[in-house]
Amino acid sequence: MRDWVLHVDLDAFMAAVEILRNPELRGRPVIVGGNGDPTTPRTVVATASYEARQYGVHSGTPMRTAHKRLPDAVYLPTDLPAYEAAGAAVMDVLRSFPVIVEVWGLDEAFLGATTDDPEALARDIQHAVTAATGLTCSIGIGDNKHQAKLAAQFNKPAGVSRLTTETWQATMGERPTTALWGVGPRTGKKLADLGLHTVTQLAAADPAELAGRFGPTNGPWLRYLALGKGETTVTTTPWVPRGHSHETTFTRDLTDPAAMREHITALARRLAEETEGRPVTRVTVKVRHAPFTTHTRQAKLPAPTLDAATIEQAALTIFDRFRQDRPVRLLGVSVEYTQTGERR
DNA sequence: TCTGGGGTCCTAGGACCC
DNA sequence: TCTGGGGTCCTAGGACCC
């Protein structure tokens, strides 16, 4: 018996929940996102079913692009409460197994398991999830979260894959650095500029050079990822949110400052209602102008507060620090809470 | 690909203090 | 006087992930 980390990843989650609700959709391209109207500008796909992915429609594809490629697909608005309920049902199934369940968002979980046959466990979990909820999932098996997370993507949908320290080099070595969980396109480009294209090359890079280019934490961390290392702790301790935010992209740019202020107030009021008793220590306002330039301004409050009027007033005061003469595409407000263990 | 919304963490520079 | 060095806090922005 030894310890394993498993990553459970529900397949095409939001689309799958919609198909479950309406079985007539099965086999058709189903696209969930925005308000469900694919002609609305400035909206994107949240999840596409596998039938839609064949036509190049993925999460993040603009809805209008999806609509051009797939005019006859089924388009549905995002129904977060339905997905939360479906995700919670899956987590309950996972908890019925002798494993540690760490919920990781709506449709993912890491499991800590001690077994001789992790593939058999993974298959049992898949069958139980499908029997209880009708949803399918892919499961990755690894020595740590990084390996399990990557393995889950190897064989989707409904697959089981193993990626361990033993197989890391053979499996990952020749892949681009962006295959690593945490290396995106920007970092991939910077690494390529240093002549580091593959995982093996990054693993062999000079830590001091990486630290110089990416900072004292990020530089060494990149090499650590390339070596196939990662977090091994799986915990049931619920995540405590650091903060909370709301933002709105307007279908057409806002030009009226009074309307902007009204919107900032409304966003701040919503956040004040959603603190769940956690005092707010900092407020940030985000403004995206046309064409797509984004700026933030923030302020630490004189004292932590739950008071809605104080939070709204802070947001407005911060908003007034932006120049007011440009059309606005997006407005956002976010709050940070007192962190446990924070000195103040 | 005319580019959502909700998160997290890190970095760099300036202010300020001793 | 013509200018140190370290520590901490604050702010704006970047990058990544789902």
Side-chain angles (χ1 to χ4, degrees):
Chain A
M1 301 272 272
R2 51 153 291 190
D3 292 340
W4 301 92
V5 176
L6 275 63
H7 184 251
V8 179
D9 194 9
L10 289 158
D11 301 316
F13 177 57
M14 299 185 203
V17 174
E18 296 294 347
I19 292 164
L20 226 50
R21 285 209 284 201
N22 183 359
E24 289 177 17
L25 302 182
R26 194 168 296 281
R28 298 185 59 187
V30 174
I31 295 167
V32 178
N35 60 2
D37 176 358
T39 66
T40 308
R42 299 178 179 181
T43 59
V44 302
V45 173
T47 306
S49 70
Y50 285 90
E51 289 80 0
R53 294 183 194 189
Q54 291 181 312
Y55 295 87
V57 174
H58 302 275
S59 302
T61 304
M63 275 293 216
R64 302 217 289 183
T65 304
H67 190 51
K68 277 178 213 151
R69 291 184 192 159
L70 283 170
D72 297 326
V74 178
Y75 291 90
L76 296 166
T78 309
D79 181 358
L80 196 59
Y83 313 138
E84 284 170 347
V90 171
M91 300 308 159
D92 285 341
V93 174
L94 300 181
R95 289 190 196 96
S96 73
F97 284 82
V99 296
I100 297 166
V101 179
E102 183 170 339
V103 177
W104 200 271
L106 227 51
D107 60 346
E108 291 180 36
F110 285 103
L111 310 182
T114 305
T115 173
D116 277 336
D117 191 347
E119 275 80 7
L121 173 63
R123 290 295 176 197
D124 286 350
I125 290 171
Q126 286 179 320
H127 293 142
V129 166
T130 303
T133 69
L135 298 166
T136 69
C137 59
S138 298
I139 298 185
I141 300 163
D143 296 319
N144 58 49
K145 284 178 176 169
H146 182 203
Q147 293 172 355
K149 172 82 187 172
L150 295 183
Q153 307 304 314
F154 287 171
N155 197 10
K156 272 182 133 327
V160 173
S161 301
R162 190 197 284 212
L163 174 63
T164 62
T165 303
E166 209 179 323
T167 59
W168 178 265
Q169 171 61 30
T171 309
M172 298 298 299
E174 294 311 305
R175 298 195 188 201
T177 57
T178 50
L180 300 168
W181 186 34
V183 179
R186 301 287 186 141
T187 304
K189 173 79 169 63
K190 287 180 194 170
L191 289 168
D193 290 344
L194 297 175
L196 306 174
H197 301 274
T198 66
V199 169
T200 296
Q201 287 172 337
L202 178 56
D206 175 15
E209 189 188 0
L210 292 172
R213 183 72 184 81
F214 298 95
T217 301
N218 286 338
W221 176 72
L222 290 168
R223 187 165 163 274
Y224 177 89
L225 288 182
L227 290 167
K229 299 184 183 186
E231 178 70 61
T232 54
T233 309
V234 180
T235 173
T236 56
T237 310
W239 181 256
V240 181
R242 304 321 196 226
H244 189 37
S245 69
H246 288 299
E247 64 185 52
T248 311
T249 293
F250 303 103
T251 303
R252 294 177 53 196
D253 291 343
L254 233 51
T255 52
D256 174 18
M260 296 177 199
R261 294 178 61 83
E262 227 168 276
H263 200 83
I264 292 288
T265 306
L267 292 171
R269 183 173 307 138
R270 264 180 83 189
L271 292 169
E273 286 164 2
E274 294 168 348
T275 58
E276 297 180 357
R278 301 193 59 193
V280 170
T281 59
R282 176 182 299 278
V283 177
T284 302
V285 173
K286 176 169 162 184
V287 178
R288 178 170 291 150
H289 295 105
F292 206 74
T293 49
T294 308
H295 296 279
T296 60
R297 295 280 181 277
Q298 58 181 254
K300 184 176 173 154
L301 300 178
T305 185
L306 292 168
D307 181 58
T310 305
I311 295 167
E312 288 168 27
Q313 188 50 56
L316 283 175
T317 303
I318 295 163
F319 177 68
D320 288 340
R321 290 159 52 197
F322 286 93
R323 42 181 295 196
Q324 307 277 326
D325 58 348
R326 284 185 291 179
V328 162
R329 178 191 171 102
L330 171 150
L331 290 175
V333 178
S334 65
V335 296
E336 269 174 48
Y337 305 127
T338 336
Q339 305 303 313
T340 48
E342 184 187 37
R343 275 180 306 147
R344 62 154 300 107

